[in-house]
């Protein structure tokens, strides 16, 4: 894998910089992933799709960090890149004290055991020609469990833990419903007893009634096995239910990051406010003002100068069109990437002494 290492140390400030803590399991620093666009007879690179453009965050042990945003904002690419399923362009990912992008051979294989993924599509992620018991056991075999009896016992244990039966191990993926297939995907991710799982929209393809069952199962498994999740989704209701902290992405960048209660109660970034205004309220007597964003999401090939959200932002000022803000802590534990929000916070701080007289 070819990665341009930016050599960012824990002491070097960058967009979204947070001082590493002893309870951090994962630190993502200035992660960048560009996809080249080829053109011409010689198939030279003529442009870059900036799928992930300088994303930074940390995930504490045992917590669930939700990652939300519109389709195409780079959420899934972040998850796949930090696991090295997709090669990164630059940046650093520190997992349990080790730089994931510099590991090779046996060290890389060992750390993959602790970092797993649940894919969005529960059908295409399973081999249709392989019984699901063999699919769940595949990782165990790769990582050295050659005793078929022990391997089968662990497969049956995982299947039962996610709500399936031992005889299901002999069946093929097409014989299961969507919810059952996703449970198989969860069992496969859990088989190696990992520390960290990327949940890539694991309930978006399921019926609403099944979604709640799978979400509750994920929470139960997290408590039982001490798991840490990066939960990728576009459904804010789902994210609110399962996440401890939430990061909001727009056009390949992180624009807001804070704990769940603060984000849903007091969002700072205009894009986050627009997303929250679209959540339906199950009460016909309650009215919420809907924020309709003008225009479409700009192309990630040629994002706008300054703040990449300013062409659609109803509160944009001249500074937004010229200078890109950085993701910084505007309130304790609340990071936002917005000039307007920063000026508002600074104005409140200046007025505070007057109001206290």
């Amino acid at each position: 894998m070819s990665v341009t290492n930016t050599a960012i140390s824990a002491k070097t400030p960058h967009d979204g910089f947070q001082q590493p803590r002893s309870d951090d399991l994962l630190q993502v620093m200035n992660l960048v992933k560009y996809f080249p666009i080829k053109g011409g007879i010689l198939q030279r690179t003529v442009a870059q799709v900036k799928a992930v453009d300088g994303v930074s965050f940390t995930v504490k042990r045992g917590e669930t960090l939700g990652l939300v945003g519109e389709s195409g904002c780079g959420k899934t690419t972040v998850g796949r890149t930090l696991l090295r399923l997709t090669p990164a362009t630059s940046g650093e990912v520190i997992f349990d004290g080790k730089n994931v992008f510099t590991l090779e051979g046996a060290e890389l294989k060992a750390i993959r055991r602790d970092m797993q993924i649940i894919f969005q599509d529960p059908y295409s992620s399973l081999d249709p020609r392989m019984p699901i018991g063999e699919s769940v056991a595949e990782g165990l075999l790769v990582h050295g469990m050659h005793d078929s009896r022990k391997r089968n016992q662990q497969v049956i244990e995982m299947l039962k833990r996610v709500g399936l039966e031992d005889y299901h191990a002999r069946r093929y993926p097409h014989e299961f419903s969507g919810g059952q297939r996703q449970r198989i995907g969860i069992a496969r991710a859990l088989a190696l007893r990992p520390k960290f799982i990327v949940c890539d929209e694991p309930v978006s393809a399921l019926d609403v009634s099944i979604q709640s069952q799978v979400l509750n199962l994920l929470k139960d498994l997290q408590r039982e096995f001490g798991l840490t999740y990066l939960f990728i989704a576009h459904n804010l209701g789902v994210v609110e239910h399962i996440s401890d902290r939430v990061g909001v992405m727009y056009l390949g960048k992180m624009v807001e990051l804070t704990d769940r209660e603060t984000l849903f109660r007091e969002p700072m970034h205009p894009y986050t406010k627009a997303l929250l205004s679209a959540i339906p309220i199950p009460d016909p007597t309650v009215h919420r003002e809907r924020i309709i964003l003008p225009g479409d999401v700009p192309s990630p090939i040629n994002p706008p100068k300054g703040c990449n959200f300013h062409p659609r932002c109803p509160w944009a000022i001249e500074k937004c069109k010229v200078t890109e803000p950085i993701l910084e802590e505007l309130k304790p534990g609340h990071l936002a990437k917005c000039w307007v929000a920063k000026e508002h916070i600074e104005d409140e701080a200046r007025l505070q002494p007057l109001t206290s007289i």
Side-chain angles (χ1 to χ4, degrees):
M1 184 185 116
S2 175
V3 177
T4 305
N5 197 324
T6 54
I8 300 172
S9 71
K11 298 181 180 179
T12 304
H14 55 85
D15 193 13
F17 172 75
Q18 292 175 282
Q19 192 66 38
R21 298 160 300 192
S22 59
D23 59 346
D24 285 337
L25 178 65
L26 180 74
Q27 301 164 28
V28 178
M29 295 180 282
N30 206 27
L31 184 64
V32 175
K33 176 57 186 176
Y34 292 170
F35 292 96
I37 299 176
K38 307 289 185 178
I41 297 175
L42 300 178
Q43 287 295 292
R44 292 174 176 169
T45 299
V46 296
Q48 301 271 7
V49 176
K50 299 177 180 179
V52 178
D53 197 7
V55 169
S56 301
F57 58 88
T58 61
V59 187
K60 294 188 293 185
R61 296 178 189 273
E63 84 164 339
T64 300
L65 176 68
L67 200 58
V68 301
E70 293 174 289
S71 296
C73 72
K75 307 184 300 296
T76 293
T77 305
V78 167
R80 293 182 63 88
T81 303
L82 67 87
L83 293 177
R84 286 185 63 171
L85 297 178
T86 300
T89 302
S90 65
E92 283 187 331
V93 174
I94 309 299
F95 177 78
D96 210 10
K98 297 179 181 179
N99 190 332
V100 177
F101 291 166
T102 62
L103 299 179
E104 298 294 341
E107 287 185 316
L108 177 60
K109 182 178 180 181
I111 207 168
R112 287 194 184 280
R113 188 184 187 109
D114 292 328
M115 305 174 73
Q116 294 292 311
I117 185 170
I118 301 169
F119 293 99
Q120 178 178 358
D121 188 341
Y123 187 77
S124 63
S125 62
L126 296 171
D127 189 337
R129 299 165 298 179
M130 186 182 291
I132 62 103
E134 293 184 20
S135 291
V136 174
E138 196 171 19
L140 297 171
L141 183 61
V142 168
H143 284 273
M145 186 179 286
H146 299 293
D147 187 325
S148 60
R149 183 179 177 183
K150 289 183 178 179
R151 195 166 62 243
N152 290 335
Q153 284 178 345
Q154 192 154 334
V155 168
I156 298 304
E157 179 187 347
M158 285 297 102
L159 291 178
K160 289 186 175 181
R161 190 61 197 81
V162 299
L164 299 174
E165 299 296 335
D166 52 359
Y167 61 84
H168 286 138
R170 299 184 295 274
R171 294 186 178 180
Y172 290 83
H174 70 272
E175 299 180 74
F176 295 92
S177 66
Q180 288 176 318
R181 285 197 291 263
Q182 196 57 284
R183 289 172 185 268
I184 295 166
I186 295 171
R188 185 171 59 176
L190 279 175
L192 291 168
R193 303 294 173 90
K195 298 177 182 177
F196 173 73
I197 298 179
V198 173
C199 304
D200 184 14
E201 303 198 34
V203 297
S204 62
L206 307 179
D207 294 337
V208 175
S209 59
I210 305 300
Q211 286 184 13
S212 61
Q213 296 176 18
V214 173
L215 289 174
N216 290 333
L217 173 63
L218 288 172
K219 294 182 76 172
D220 291 342
L221 292 171
Q222 184 176 36
R223 286 191 293 267
E224 181 177 347
F225 295 104
L227 298 170
T228 302
Y229 292 146
L230 175 65
F231 193 91
I232 299 168
H234 58 260
N235 186 328
L236 284 165
V238 169
V239 169
E240 184 180 16
H241 176 72
I242 197 171
S243 301
D244 299 303
R245 291 188 300 134
V246 182
V248 182
M249 286 189 65
Y250 180 80
L251 207 62
K253 296 179 182 290
M254 188 82 76
V255 298
E256 189 161 3
L257 177 63
T258 187
D259 64 89
R260 174 189 59 197
E261 291 80 7
T262 302
L263 186 88
F264 282 85
R265 183 185 68 249
E266 192 180 357
M268 286 188 183
H269 199 279
Y271 177 63
T272 308
K273 294 178 181 179
L275 290 179
L276 294 177
S277 75
I279 300 177
I281 302 175
D283 186 345
T285 63
V286 178
H287 174 72
R288 173 186 284 159
E289 182 181 354
R290 178 74 189 277
I291 301 174
I292 306 296
L293 298 176
D296 297 318
V297 179
S299 170
I301 300 173
N302 185 27
K305 294 182 179 179
C307 174
N308 58 13
F309 184 63
H310 85 259
R312 306 177 70 196
C313 180
W315 299 286
I317 57 178
E318 192 61 32
K319 189 176 184 179
C320 302
K321 304 175 184 178
V322 180
T323 308
E324 181 181 359
I326 64 171
L327 184 68
E328 57 184 322
E329 192 173 41
L330 301 184
K331 288 185 177 181
H334 195 160
L335 287 76
K337 187 185 180 79
C338 180
W339 291 123
V340 176
K342 184 176 182 179
E343 290 189 1
H344 179 69
I345 297 299
E346 290 173 348
D347 288 343
E348 283 185 341
R350 282 194 294 268
L351 291 172
Q352 187 65 36
L354 296 177
T355 58
S356 61
I357 295 176

